[in-house]
């Protein structure tokens, strides 16, 4: 009898869903690799600029286009800037853009998605219509249009404001770049978030297990916490992971095309674009940012797949 | 026998886009302690909604507009939300139709079973788990200690349905409402579940309401049968009485459409012509009138009350809601409906 109770109590500790899911994640080698890389990326993005050997802007015209060496691990570019420092700073750009756009798109997505999911009917039909319309617009085209049409106006407006107020805040055109990138990316990405959240709310709310829990008198807060949230959070977490990776690739593509973050602020995209011009002579200038971007993309996809499996009990063995 | 439940003139409707859907229109019945009642009727006639209304387990669009539900004298229709919550699981247990989706895939069986009694009975988790293991044994799940720590997907459909039964019984309720608990299962498992419920009923002396649209399933299982049509009770009688001398035209049609060994191979089963009633308007007459072969002038004007049948040797517990005495009137083809 006592043995029995003991065993029950021990087992109790394993009740937590998060722990179970984490165990599954850890058991998946690719997911662990992805997770470590992603954690490392975040670490670099946060602390990198404090530990870079050189300033990302400081030019050394004596040391242009140098191949990798002990002094410059990834070599230097055509202005003699340290590529490693720039890649590290580029990580910060990528992470800032990724987080802000994912956050923004989630906010819009949660708002739109839960509105549709809760109210149904005409509200829902309107939101679904909006989602479809937005999704049918080619994203690259949208960003270019926004950039071309809005940027000059925004810059003009900021110049005016500077003249009017004398506030140096309005001189910061880097901010315009970032705002436009965040804004347009969030605009492209919210429908996916909205669609997922809408679907989750609609399906979980009417699930039989929610009814069954109500039928045995489980209090509502417990139902929300133990039944509704775990069942809806999986796809949202997976979405966040995928969206972060995707946003980084988008940011790089836009910067590559010159409609995103612009030099001298380093972005992997504009570094790749710079490197591409001289890749036959100095392949290392292209190699470093391209390899890092590829690695990060793969890391996020490994992590996303791992999370998807770990958070879906039907796939557990 | 002592009375456990008394339902009087229960009305439930749903708010829909342009008005209301009248799902339950004046259901009344009683249930004794230890009694088993079968509820039959075609799909959409309000079986689930009326029984869910008893413990107010309804979606937000639903509204109980009238009536009382007296469980041991206490009116559940007027009880507060927290009072209802205490009744659910501890006094009234519910078994659902679909075992595949009635368990939370993210919680282990044990945790789900225990959630209710930990809250109701203020049990420790370890005690609750022991209780859960006991009930898993009772419903015939072997290796129950081990099963408690498995997730729903690791169980077969039949096992999940047994878990659902254990979940309904765990709080030791006086009344169990089983809403078509076997339709999702194959025939052999169905028979096992039916046997199991009969056995448990003997053992635990519960009252049971068994909802089904399969009249033949109820034979040899329930004490009494209640036939529903269009949101109301049309006939109610002890089991044998229903099979021997059905008195409502709808019940007669229902019984004719059950295949029996005598039915000739290849012959068509009789069916009830016509469509189910329109529930978007509140009924003003007999809901079955449009499909009825015995229809009279009065049937399309007034709602018949549920009253004991008349006639010599009539069983006093046999009640019907019909203006016509089918034992005296011949059925004749009627426009829009026949038998
Ligand atoms: N959430 C809801 N919103 C609107 N109408 C509903 C809702 N749930 C049920 N109804 C309606 O209430 C009526 C009765 O439904 P109910 O589920 O009680 O039927 P049932 O007799 O249990 O049928 P079945 O044998 O198919 O389970 C139906 O007309 C149905 O369309
Ligand atoms: Mg039903």
């Amino acid at each position: 009898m006592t043995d029995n109770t003991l065993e029950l109590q021990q087992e109790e500790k394993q009740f937590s869903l998060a722990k179970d899911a984490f165990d599954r994640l850890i058991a998946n080698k690719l997911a662990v690799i992805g997770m470590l890389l992603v954690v490392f990326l975040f670490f670099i993005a946060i602390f990198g600029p404090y530990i870079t050997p050189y300033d990302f802007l400081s030019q050394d015209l004596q040391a242009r286009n140098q191949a990798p060496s002990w002094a410059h691990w990834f070599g230097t570019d055509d202005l003699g800037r340290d590529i490693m420092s720039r890649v590290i700073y580029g990580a910060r750009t990528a992470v800032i853009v990724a987080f802000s756009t994912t956050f923004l798109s989630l906010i819009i997505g949660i708002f739109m998605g839960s509105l549709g999911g809760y109210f149904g009917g005409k509200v829902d039909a309107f939101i679904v219509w909006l989602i479809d319309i937005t999704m049918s617009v080619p994203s690259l085209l949208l960003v270019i249009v926004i950039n071309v049409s809005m940027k000059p106006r925004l810059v003009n407006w900021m110049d005016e404001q500077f003249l009017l107020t004398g506030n140096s805040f309005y001189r910061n055109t880097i901010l315009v770049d970032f705002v436009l990138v965040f804004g347009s990316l969030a605009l492209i990405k919210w429908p996916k978030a909205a669609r997922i959240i809408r679907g989750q709310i609609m399906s979980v709310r009417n699930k039989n297990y929610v009814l069954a829990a109500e039928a045995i008198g489980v209090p509502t807060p417990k139902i929300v916490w133990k039944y509704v949230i775990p069942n809806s959070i999986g796809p949202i977490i997976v979405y966040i992971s995928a969206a972060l990776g995707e946003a980084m690739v988008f940011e790089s593509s836009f910067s590559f095309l010159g409609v995103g973050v612009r030099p001298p602020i380093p972005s992997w995209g504009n570094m790749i674009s710079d490197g591409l011009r001289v890749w036959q002579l100095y392949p290392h200038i292209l190699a470093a940012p391209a390899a890092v971007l590829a690695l990060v993309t793969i890391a996020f996809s490994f992590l996303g797949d791992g999370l998807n499996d770990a958070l879906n009990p039907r796939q557990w063995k | 026998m002592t009375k456990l439940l008394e339902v009087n003139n229960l009305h439930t409707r749903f708010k829909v886009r342009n008005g209301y859907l009248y799902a339950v229109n004046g259901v009344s019945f009683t249930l004794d302690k230890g009694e088993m009642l079968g509820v039959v009727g075609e799909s959409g006639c309000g079986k689930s909604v009326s029984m869910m209304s008893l413990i107010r387990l309804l979606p937000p669009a639903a509204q109980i507009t009238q009536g009382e539900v007296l469980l041991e004298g206490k009116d559940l229709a007027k009880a507060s939300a927290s009072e209802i919550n205490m009744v659910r699981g501890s006094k009234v247990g519910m078994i659902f139709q679909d075992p595949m989706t009635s368990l939370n895939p993210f919680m282990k069986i044990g945790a789900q079973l225990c959630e209710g009694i930990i809250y109701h009975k203020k049990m420790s988790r370890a005690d609750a788990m022991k209780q859960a293991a006991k009930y898993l044994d009772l419903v015939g799940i072997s290796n129950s200690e081990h099963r408690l720590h498995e997730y729903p997907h690791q169980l077969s459909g039949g096992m999940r349905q047994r878990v659902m039964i254990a979940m309904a019984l765990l709080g030791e309720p006086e009344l169990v409402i089983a809403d078509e608990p076997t339709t999702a299962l194959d025939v052999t498992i169905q028979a096992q579940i039916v046997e199991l419920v009969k056995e448990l009923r003997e053992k635990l002396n519960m009252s049971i309401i068994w909802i089904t649209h399969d009249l033949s399933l109820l034979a040899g299982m329930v004490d009494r049968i209640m036939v529903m049509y269009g949101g109301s009770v049309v006939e109610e009688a002890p089991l044998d009485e229903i099979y021997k001398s059905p008195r409502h035209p709808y019940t007669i049609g229902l019984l004719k459409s059950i295949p029996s060994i005598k039915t000739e191979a290849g012959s068509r089963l009789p069916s009830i012509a016509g469509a189910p009633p329109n529930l978007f308007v509140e009924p003003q007459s007999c809901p079955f009138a449009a499909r009825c072969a015995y229809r009279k002038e009065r049937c399309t004007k007034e709602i018949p009350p549920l009253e004991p049948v008349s006639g010599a040797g009539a069983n006093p517990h046999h009640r019907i809601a019909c203006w016509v005495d089918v034992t005296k009137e011949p059925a004749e083809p009627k426009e829009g409906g026949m038998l």
Side-chain angles (χ1 to χ4, degrees), chain B residues 66-142:
Chain B
Q66 249 191 76
E68 44 181 22
V69 178
L70 302 168
L71 184 73
E72 293 175 320
K74 184 162 178 37
D75 189 359
L76 300 184
K78 293 182 186 66
S80 72
S82 65
E83 282 170 326
I84 276 286
N85 224 27
M86 287 312 285
V87 168
R88 290 176 186 172
S90 70
K91 283 198 178 296
V92 181
M94 185 98 207
I95 309 172
F96 294 94
Q97 187 161 3
D98 187 1
M100 300 318 247
T101 60
S102 295
L103 288 164
N104 178 359
F106 279 90
M107 271 170 97
K108 289 178 179 169
I109 300 298
Q112 272 184 83
L113 283 169
C114 293
E115 215 51 83
I117 49 171
I118 288 173
Y119 172 70
H120 285 308
K121 309 235 147 123
K122 308 268 175 287
M123 259 187 206
S124 73
R125 191 170 276 276
D127 285 345
M129 287 291 266
K130 264 189 259 169
Q131 177 95 341
K134 196 181 111 191
Y135 272 88
L136 285 188
D137 284 334
L138 197 67
V139 297
I141 289 186
S142 55

Side-chain angles (χ1 to χ4, degrees), chain A residues 30-42:
Chain A
L30 288 181
V32 171
I33 294 174
M35 190 165 62
L36 290 178
L37 282 172
V38 167
V39 168
F40 183 64
L41 170 74
F42 289 166

